[in-house]
C-alpha cells in the first residue's frame, strides 16, 4: 500500500497487523495479502489483491460494511495553495453481483455510500461519496480550497453497500 495510508483498527488505534491468517493465501500473492472475494468481505479491514486495483502491485484493503467503528486514512502533503479536486480510485466491481437471499447484506449493492472525513488546517469536512461500481478508475468526490500542509482523508466502514473498498486517492489542482 502507498506511503501515507494506514489501517485504523476497530478501536481507532493504528494497527500494522494483517487481518488475515498468514496460512490463508491463494496463488503467489504478497505476504499478508489474499485474493479478493468481493461477495465475502472480511469483518475487519483486510489487505487483498484486486486485479483492477490502482498501481503496479494491484493491492488495496476492503471490509464488510459496519457501523463506523473502523476506518482507514490517507495523508498527503499539499505543496501549493489552491482549489483541488479529491478523486477516489475504484476497481472494476460488477454492480449485479449478489449474495444468496438468506445471507446478511444480500439486500445491498456491492458498493454503497461511503462516509469520508477530510481534515486540513483545523477544519473537518464530512463528505458522502457514492462510487459508481460499473465505472472503474478515478471518480470525482468533491472540491476543496486548500493551503499548503497535511490533508488527511479518513474513510469509515459505515456504508449502505456490502463492502467498503479503499485503494488510492489523489488531489488534482485546478487553475
Amino acid at each position: 500500500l502507498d506511503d501515507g495510508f494506514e489501517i485504523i483498527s476497530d478501536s481507532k488505534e493504528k494497527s500494522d497487523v494483517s487481518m488475515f491468517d498468514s496460512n490463508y493465501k491463494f496463488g503467489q500473492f504478497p505476504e499478508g495479502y489474499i485474493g479478493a472475494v468481493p461477495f465475502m468481505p472480511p469483518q475487519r479491514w483486510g489487505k487483498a489483491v484486486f486485479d483492477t486495483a490502482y498501481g503496479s502491485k494491484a493491492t488495496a484493503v476492503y471490509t464488510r460494511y459496519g457501523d463506523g467503528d473502523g476506518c482507514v486514512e490517507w495523508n498527503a502533503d499539499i505543496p501549493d495553495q489552491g482549489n483541488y479536486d479529491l478523486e477516489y480510485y475504484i476497481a472494476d466491481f460488477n454492480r449485479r453481483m449478489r449474495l444468496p437471499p438468506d445471507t446478511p447484506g444480500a439486500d445491498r449493492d456491492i458498493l454503497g455510500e461511503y462516509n469520508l472525513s477530510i481534515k486540513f488546517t483545523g477544519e473537518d469536512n464530512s463528505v458522502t461519496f457514492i462510487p459508481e461500481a460499473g465505472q472503474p478508475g478515478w471518480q470525482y468526490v468533491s472540491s476543496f480550497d486548500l493551503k499548503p500542509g497535511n490533508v488527511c482523508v479518513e474513510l469509515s466502514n459505515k456504508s449502505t453497500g456490502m463492502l467498503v473498498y479503499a485503494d488510492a486517492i489523489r488531489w488534482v489542482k485546478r487553475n
Side-chain angles (χ1 to χ4, degrees), residues 59-140:
T59 57
V61 298
Y62 75 130
T63 188
R64 185 176 190 269
Y65 65 92
D67 59 8
D69 61 348
C71 61
V72 296
E73 67 180 33
W74 295 265
N75 284 281
D77 288 319
I78 300 298
D80 302 310
Q81 184 168 335
N83 185 266
Y84 289 82
D85 289 346
L86 173 59
E87 296 181 352
Y88 196 104
Y89 191 87
I90 295 291
D92 190 8
F93 288 100
N94 182 343
R95 186 177 269 292
R96 294 182 304 271
M97 188 181 308
R98 290 285 186 203
L99 294 172
D102 58 343
T103 306
D107 58 335
R108 296 168 175 254
D109 283 335
I110 192 161
L111 300 176
E113 289 185 358
Y114 285 11
N115 297 287
L116 298 165
S117 177
I118 294 83
K119 302 171 186 177
F120 56 92
T121 59
E123 294 184 42
D124 190 346
N125 297 275
S126 296
V127 175
T128 299
F129 169 57
I130 303 172
E132 292 293 328
Q135 301 294 321
W138 291 107
Q139 297 184 20
Y140 173 81

